[in-house]
């Protein structure tokens, strides 16, 4: 039962969380769990429709409140709720609802859950497209995988999505970042204030039971939501370049590919004769990960940190990935598998892990150490709560010192307010019966 004086939190979600479908939703659920452990009073709202695999938040004691875009009903809703903290899930929700939150609950702490730096992901996607157009070499991507932070900045700085996203960060009192690399990019290249950012990676509890042993596992595995563009690109690279090289060395090898929202273009790749199996959605991702011998994450672009790799470590499953997949994941710790730049390297290391028990066990041990040192909820959960409390106590000073954010709120919120009110009036007019 929630205490009547408990901190009230309103989460405005881009989607209703589907933790079995995406790492972003998984991270949101981890944040909600940290709030629940504090006994906080949580309301989750979203303008999105209900997805197929959404979590049952009400079973956790979290209220669910659907909301509408460009509708003043939200004003009544938030005025009655009077939250102490408003958490925007992705910058688009701050763009849509930030002005309403500030107008009706000016004293509420405004926090943004970034999930990943979307402008970085979009920039990298564009560079991959340019690289694929310029060369038909589908093997070596080392130049694409190793840009300096300055180069990343130069590719991002003139894009609309970077300007929108980083402006949204400024308009909030705090932004949660899963990637230390992205924090450094924002601070060193964009000149963003470090105190407005908080490192909050994926937060997990370490498994109690030992992992499934080497002898009881079989096959290679790739897993990821097909609606997420980096995952679909990874499947294509597997199909066209990496998997044929693995089958040359292991003719009977099988690759099982799982993913939510499997499109026809993915099921068309299903080819049992080649050992290439499109398995659709996994009811229990950890179960299928525990049954696999090697997890493959051939990501050619992306941002943030990778939920599939954290899941692999939780299951004691070594992985092979790229520098994009490993970015911001391991700090100074040894990698639980291999990080490679080419399709040939990917295939060779995957085969070694699949066939060499000693190498496989060593990688598994690295994963266990990495989890314990970087991803424990018992470390990051309390740190998040303390940061939020510090921000609440110093809110006036934070907003005074963030003059850039104040300017951006002044101009953006006015224009967004007028546009939203115009859309709402237009919608009301369109709904009126003819002749009125």
């Amino acid at each position: 039962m929630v205490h009547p004086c408990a901190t009230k939190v309103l989460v405005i979600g881009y989607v209703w969380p589907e933790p079995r479908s995406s790492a972003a939703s998984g991270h949101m659920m981890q944040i909600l769990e940290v709030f629940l452990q504090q006994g906080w009073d949580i309301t989750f709202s979203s303008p999105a429709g209900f997805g197929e695999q959404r979590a049952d938040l009400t079973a956790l004691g979290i209220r669910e409140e659907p909301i509408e875009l460009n509708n003043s009903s939200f004003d009544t809703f938030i005025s009655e709720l009077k939250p102490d903290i408003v958490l925007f899930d992705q910058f688009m929700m701050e763009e849509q609802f930030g002005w309403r939150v500030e107008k009706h609950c000016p004293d509420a702490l405004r926090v943004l859950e970034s999930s990943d730096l979307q402008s970085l992901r979009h920039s990298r996607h564009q560079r991959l497209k340019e690289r694929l157009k310029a060369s038909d070499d589908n093997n070596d991507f080392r130049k694409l995988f190793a840009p300096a932070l300055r180069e990343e900045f130069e590719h991002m700085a003139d894009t609309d999505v970077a300007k929108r996203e980083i402006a949204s960060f400024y308009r909030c009192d705090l932004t949660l970042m899963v990637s230390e690399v992205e924090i450094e990019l924002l601070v060193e290249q964009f000149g963003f204030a470090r105190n407005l950012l908080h490192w909050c990676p994926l937060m997990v509890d370490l498994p109690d039971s030992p992992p499934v042993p080497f002898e009881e596992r079989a096959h290679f595995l790739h897993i990821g939501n097909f609606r997420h563009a980096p995952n679909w690109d990874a499947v294509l690279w597997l199909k066209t370049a990496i998997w044929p090289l693995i089958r040359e060395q292991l003719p009977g090898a099988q690759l099982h590919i799982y993913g939510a929202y499997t499109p026809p273009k993915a099921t068309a790749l299903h080819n049992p004769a080649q050992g290439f199996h499109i398995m659709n959605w996994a009811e229990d991702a950890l179960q299928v990960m525990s049954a696999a011998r090697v997890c493959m994450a051939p990501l050619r672009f992306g941002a943030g940190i990778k939920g599939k790799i954290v899941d692999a470590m939780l299951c004691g499953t070594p992985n092979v990935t790229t520098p994009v997949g490993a970015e911001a994941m391991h700090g100074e710790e040894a990698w639980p598998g291999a990080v490679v730049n080419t399709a040939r390297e990917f295939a060779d290391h995957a085969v070694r892990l699949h066939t060499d028990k000693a190498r496989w066990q060593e990688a598994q041990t690295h994963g266990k150490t990495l989890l314990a040192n970087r991803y424990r909820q018992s470390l990051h959960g309390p740190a998040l709560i303390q940061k939020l409390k510090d921000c609440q106590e110093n809110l006036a000073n934070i907003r005074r010192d963030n003059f850039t954010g104040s300017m951006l709120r002044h101009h953006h919120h006015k224009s967004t307010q007028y546009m939203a009110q115009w859309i709402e009036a237009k919608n009301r007019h369109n709904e009126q019966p003819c002749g009125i």
Side-chain angles (χ1 to χ4, degrees):
M1 184 175 179
V2 175
H3 192 277
C5 296
T7 296
K8 285 187 177 181
V9 180
L10 170 63
V11 181
I12 303 178
Y14 181 67
V15 296
W16 298 93
E18 296 188 14
R20 295 186 295 176
S21 298
S22 74
S25 285
H27 192 233
M28 174 55 70
M29 293 300 295
Q30 292 163 4
I31 292 171
L32 294 176
E33 176 60 30
V34 169
F35 292 170
L36 288 170
Q37 290 172 359
Q38 298 296 307
W40 288 0
D41 184 358
I42 307 170
T43 301
F44 195 102
S45 59
S46 177
F50 292 140
E52 297 175 9
Q53 313 298 340
R54 74 182 185 98
D56 185 357
L57 299 179
T58 57
L60 300 175
I62 298 172
R63 284 187 298 277
E64 296 181 342
E65 292 288 346
I67 53 177
E68 294 184 44
L69 298 172
N70 305 309
N71 194 310
S72 57
S73 60
F74 180 86
D75 302 345
T76 302
F77 161 65
I78 195 169
S79 297
E80 293 175 352
L81 184 64
K82 295 183 175 62
D84 302 297
I85 299 173
V86 176
L87 177 65
F88 302 102
D89 173 26
Q90 303 190 36
F91 77 90
M92 295 82 77
M93 293 298 95
E94 187 280 331
E95 286 184 326
Q96 289 289 337
F97 295 98
W99 70 271
R100 295 183 186 275
V101 171
E102 181 173 26
K103 180 178 180 179
H104 297 284
C105 295
D107 296 329
L109 180 68
R110 298 185 290 268
V111 184
L112 178 61
E113 154 63 351
S114 65
S115 183
D116 66 6
L117 195 56
Q118 295 187 39
S119 50
L120 175 61
R121 169 160 46 86
H122 290 182
S123 172
R124 288 173 169 176
H125 194 185
Q126 184 59 38
R127 299 204 312 270
L128 174 64
K129 291 177 181 178
E130 293 169 357
R131 157 69 175 76
L132 295 175
K133 286 181 180 179
S135 172
D136 58 3
D137 175 17
N138 204 18
N139 176 59
D140 191 343
F141 292 89
R142 69 188 74 193
K143 290 184 179 179
L144 196 69
F145 290 155
L149 290 183
R150 183 64 190 178
E151 185 179 348
E152 298 281 21
F153 168 78
E154 290 171 354
H155 285 289
M156 295 168 60
D158 290 332
T159 65
D160 288 343
V161 66
K163 293 170 185 176
R164 289 175 54 199
E165 184 172 33
I166 296 172
S168 181
F169 290 5
Y170 270 114
R171 290 193 296 268
C172 291
D173 303 311
L174 183 69
T175 295
L176 308 184
M177 305 290 296
V178 298
S179 166
E180 294 167 303
V181 170
E182 292 170 10
I183 290 176
E184 295 309 310
L185 174 63
L186 289 170
V187 172
E188 294 179 10
Q189 301 302 321
F190 287 90
F192 199 87
R194 190 180 294 273
N195 70 297
L196 298 178
L197 304 171
H198 178 71
W199 181 47
C200 182
L202 298 179
M203 301 177 285
V204 297
D205 295 317
L206 302 184
D208 296 325
S209 56
V212 178
F214 179 86
E215 293 81 6
E216 296 178 20
R217 297 174 182 246
H219 312 316
F220 297 89
L221 176 136
H222 172 77
I223 191 166
N225 188 328
F226 282 105
R227 288 181 175 174
H228 192 51
N231 292 331
W232 171 238
D233 178 75
V235 171
L236 291 178
W237 196 29
L238 277 169
K239 178 70 173 181
T240 59
I242 297 170
W243 188 243
L245 296 174
I246 291 177
R247 289 277 288 191
E248 286 179 3
Q249 300 179 61
L250 298 175
Q254 293 188 39
L255 170 59
H256 293 175
I257 297 177
Y258 292 87
Y261 302 102
T262 309
K265 64 182 179 180
T267 55
L269 300 179
H270 182 70
N271 192 326
Q274 296 176 356
F276 199 90
H277 300 268
I278 303 297
M279 309 295 288
N280 298 316
W281 181 68
E283 180 72 28
D284 186 337
L286 296 183
Q287 189 277 325
V288 299
M289 184 71 78
S290 294
R293 190 169 286 180
V294 178
C295 171
M296 302 206 291
L299 297 164
R300 293 190 288 190
F301 74 98
I305 58 177
K306 312 306 178 292
K308 61 179 65 66
I309 292 177
V310 171
D311 284 349
M313 289 187 286
L314 284 169
C315 297
T317 307
N319 76 85
V320 184
T321 191
T322 64
V324 171
E327 183 177 84
M329 291 285 299
H330 62 117
E332 300 300 321
E333 303 291 341
W335 188 254
V339 181
V340 301
N341 289 285
T342 70
R344 171 58 68 182
E345 291 174 348
F346 202 109
D348 290 346
H349 281 281
V351 169
R352 287 181 200 140
L353 282 169
H354 193 275
T355 57
D356 187 333
K357 180 178 178 180
R359 183 187 295 267
W360 187 89
Q361 289 177 325
E362 181 183 36
Q364 185 182 81
T365 300
H366 291 329
K368 183 178 180 181
T369 301
L370 182 51
L371 276 180
N373 290 344
R374 283 182 70 87
Y375 296 101
R376 280 186 295 165
Q377 190 193 65
S378 59
L379 292 175
H380 295 290
L384 172 59
I385 296 301
Q386 187 59 53
K387 181 67 175 181
L388 295 176
K389 290 181 177 179
D390 290 345
C391 288
Q392 287 180 298
E393 292 175 3
N394 296 283
L395 190 55
N397 292 337
I398 291 171
R399 290 180 177 173
R400 180 200 62 208
D401 295 342
N402 181 18
F403 185 71
T404 300
S406 178
M407 286 193 300
L408 290 169
R409 287 197 306 275
H410 174 78
H411 292 287
H412 172 85
H413 287 354
K414 290 296 183 184
S415 61
T416 305
Q417 174 181 347
Y418 297 145
M419 177 59 74
Q421 290 172 340
W422 179 83
I423 293 173
E424 183 176 10
K426 183 173 180 288
N427 290 341
R428 281 201 304 266
H429 175 76
N430 291 340
E431 290 171 359
Q432 289 180 350
C434 295
I436 295 181

